[in-house]
C-alpha cells in the first residue's frame, strides 16, 4: 500500500479491492449503520460521548472484517480520509443495490 492517490476517484477501486470478502463488507455495513444510530442518538439526546462510541463501533466492525475475514490491513491506517469516504460510498452502493462485490 505505498501507492499515492491524487483523488478519491483514483483511490476507490483500490478500496474496493480490499473488500472482496462478503462478510467483511457486511461487517462494514453493520458497523456503519450502528455508527449512524449512535451518532443520531447522541445528537438527539445531547449525549456527546456517543460520537466517540460511533467511531469505535464503526471501526471495530470494519477491522474485524479485515483482520479475521479479509486477512488484510485496513486501508484506514495509510489513507484515513479516503478510507472514511470509501466506507460511506460502499455503504450507499450496498444499500442502493449498486454494489457488485463479485465484479471487484
Amino acid at each position: 500500500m505505498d501507492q499515492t492517490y491524487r483523488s478519491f476517484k483514483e483511490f476507490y477501486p483500490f478500496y474496493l479491492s480490499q473488500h472482496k470478502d462478503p462478510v467483511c463488507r457486511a461487517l462494514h455495513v453493520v458497523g456503519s449503520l450502528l455508527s449512524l444510530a449512535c451518532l443520531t442518538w447522541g445528537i438527539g439526546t445531547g449525549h456527546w460521548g456517543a460520537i466517540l462510541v460511533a467511531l469505535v463501533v464503526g471501526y471495530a466492525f470494519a477491522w474485524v472484517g479485515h483482520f479475521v475475514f479479509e486477512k488484510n490491513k485496513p486501508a484506514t491506517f495509510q489513507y484515513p480520509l479516503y478510507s472514511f469516504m470509501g466506507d460511506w460510498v460502499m455503504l450507499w452502493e450496498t444499500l442502493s443495490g449498486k454494489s457488485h462485490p463479485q465484479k471487484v
Side-chain angles (χ1 to χ4, degrees):
M1 280 197 307
D2 37 18
Q3 168 80 26
T4 301
Y5 296 99
R6 294 171 295 190
S7 68
F8 178 73
K9 183 177 181 177
E10 188 178 289
F11 170 80
Y12 193 59
F14 165 74
Y15 178 86
L16 291 177
S17 78
Q18 301 299 296
H19 298 85
K20 292 179 182 176
D21 185 280
V23 176
C24 180
R25 282 186 179 226
L27 287 169
H28 273 67
V29 168
V30 170
S32 295
L33 293 175
L34 287 173
S35 287
L36 285 174
C38 289
L39 190 60
T40 302
W41 177 80
I43 291 170
T45 62
H47 288 89
W48 303 113
I51 294 169
L52 179 60
V53 172
L55 287 170
V56 170
V57 166
Y59 282 113
F61 274 83
W63 290 355
V64 166
H66 283 285
F67 293 125
V68 176
F69 297 97
E70 197 71 59
K71 308 267 193 262
N72 64 15
K73 185 170 115 179
T76 300
F77 297 154
Q78 190 164 358
Y79 309 106
L81 179 59
Y82 282 161
S83 293
F84 185 77
M85 293 165 61
D87 288 341
W88 299 108
V89 172
M90 188 171 70
L91 175 66
W92 171 251
E93 289 179 349
T94 301
L95 295 178
S96 67
K98 294 180 182 181
S99 180
H100 304 285
Q102 67 277 11
K103 294 182 182 177
V104 177

